[in-house]
Amino acid sequence: MLYPEDPGNLNRVKDRAEHQFFKKFGESMPPGAWNHPGTKQGIYMMGPEAEYLEGRFAASGEPADIRERLKRALDRWESLRQEKGYANKPIPAKPWSPPPGVEGELILRVNLRDLPRGDGDESGKRRHELAATGMWRDFVKWAWNENWFAAPKAMAFVPAGEGEEPVDPAIIRAMAREVLVDNVRGQTQPWRDEEVLEATLTMKRLSDRRIEYKGRVSMKAGQRSYEATIYGQGRWNGKAFEELDLVVLGMRRGRGSFNQRENDLGPAPMGVTLSLRRQ
């Protein structure tokens, strides 16, 4: 997180280079363009030493406004480039690392989608061609979202014998709480532990390398709920997973705080996939 809002996390990142870079940029912005204290979401254009080129807190996706900001940023960049003798250099390669807070031996990429509700229904499309409003909520055109989940030990998903065995219940409950949520169109809070009514996953060897997974989850908090089945397969080479894919299919109901479901309370089908991140 470049600039956390709460004092504890702000103190945690205060010496990190990326925070200091972003802070330096923010302090050079015109009054009113940098929201402090508070969230820092917005559109920002900056030079290689955090120089201010353009930007605005909570900037909308209004095309005309962004176009003008880009023009001003490019004009300022030309002057800055000549003043400081900046020259283009290749962006240095850096090994991939998971997002902050995602730590464990097994890192899974999580994708969420609405699913068709019947013949001819287009709810499962990745993008809906809705009329543009010029407001920040235009992002609801995208019926898709992404998250990450980490398991502490990869061996938790490897059966010891030939028969059916449970995957560690603590890991599956954590998965249900953290990422089996309806944030297809926006943000929503994770489930509390007491709201996870069921979270089970079994594993069984299909061959020396191939493993099959089957399970079920049920979460409920007032009018908000998600009930689904899980199916997956993985390929374990004796030392690490070469493949691991879980598919979660079920019905979601209700709405969360910021997930843009006030006009679409369901029940409606929603799918979630968890896949091993491949280098």
Side-chain angles (χ1 to χ4, degrees):
M1 298 173 67
L2 290 176
Y3 212 117
E5 293 179 64
D6 63 285
N9 277 315
L10 192 57
N11 184 65
R12 176 177 59 84
V13 303
K14 64 182 176 61
D15 296 324
R16 292 175 61 164
E18 61 269 35
H19 168 72
Q20 294 174 349
F21 180 92
F22 194 50
K23 183 174 184 288
K24 178 181 177 182
F25 168 78
E27 291 173 346
S28 70
M29 293 183 74
W34 179 247
N35 187 50
H36 189 73
T39 177
K40 299 297 184 289
Q41 57 188 318
I43 294 178
Y44 306 112
M45 302 149 209
M46 59 191 75
E49 295 296 332
E51 298 96 342
Y52 169 77
L53 299 178
E54 240 311 333
R56 191 179 78 178
F57 162 71
S60 75
E62 187 176 343
D65 177 68
I66 300 303
R67 186 182 300 113
E68 291 305 312
R69 291 179 185 277
L70 284 167
K71 289 179 179 178
R72 291 195 295 269
L74 287 171
D75 289 342
R76 289 181 179 128
W77 166 247
E78 282 302 314
S79 299
L80 180 68
R81 182 179 63 82
Q82 295 175 28
E83 175 189 337
K84 294 194 173 183
Y86 285 144
N88 293 336
K89 295 182 179 179
I91 296 175
K94 183 180 179 181
W96 180 86
S97 61
V102 181
E103 300 176 353
E105 286 185 1
L106 194 62
I107 307 294
L108 301 176
R109 184 195 301 269
V110 183
N111 290 125
L112 304 99
R113 290 282 296 272
D114 281 342
L115 299 174
R117 308 176 195 192
D119 292 342
D121 183 78
E122 296 188 343
S123 299
K125 290 180 64 175
R126 185 182 176 99
R127 180 178 169 88
H128 293 259
E129 295 303 327
L130 304 174
T133 64
M135 298 175 60
W136 66 273
R137 287 186 59 181
D138 278 354
F139 72 85
V140 299
K141 293 179 179 182
W142 293 94
W144 167 86
N145 211 334
E146 181 177 88
N147 208 333
W148 297 89
F149 179 75
K153 299 293 183 182
M155 284 296 295
F157 286 81
V158 180
E162 300 299 319
E164 189 173 82
E165 303 174 27
V167 177
D168 184 351
I171 293 177
I172 305 310
R173 289 187 71 85
M175 180 188 298
R177 288 196 311 268
E178 296 170 20
V179 299
L180 300 187
V181 298
D182 178 14
N183 64 348
V184 170
R185 295 180 179 275
Q187 303 174 30
T188 195
Q189 63 270 40
W191 304 99
R192 295 196 299 268
D193 191 65
E194 63 268 24
E195 296 168 346
V196 180
L197 308 181
E198 181 181 4
T200 60
L201 188 68
T202 61
M203 52 187 173
K204 182 179 180 180
R205 290 186 182 274
L206 299 179
S207 65
D208 288 344
R209 289 177 171 243
R210 184 66 60 177
I211 303 170
E212 181 182 58
Y213 304 91
K214 295 181 181 180
R216 178 171 176 78
V217 293
S218 175
M219 289 78 70
K220 183 174 176 60
Q223 47 80 41
R224 186 170 67 102
S225 67
Y226 185 49
E227 298 181 2
T229 57
I230 307 173
Y231 181 80
Q233 288 196 14
R235 187 169 68 189
W236 172 257
N237 66 14
K239 296 181 179 180
F241 276 101
E242 297 175 347
E243 298 176 4
L244 181 58
D245 296 283
L246 301 173
V247 178
V248 186
L249 299 175
M251 301 295 286
R252 55 96 186 158
R253 293 171 174 80
R255 57 170 292 194
S257 300
F258 305 106
N259 67 350
Q260 318 304 317
R261 292 294 196 187
E262 47 268 79
N263 298 317
D264 188 12
L265 299 177
M270 183 182 80
V272 185
T273 61
L274 299 95
S275 302
L276 182 70
R277 186 194 182 275
R278 297 168 176 84
Q279 300 297 327

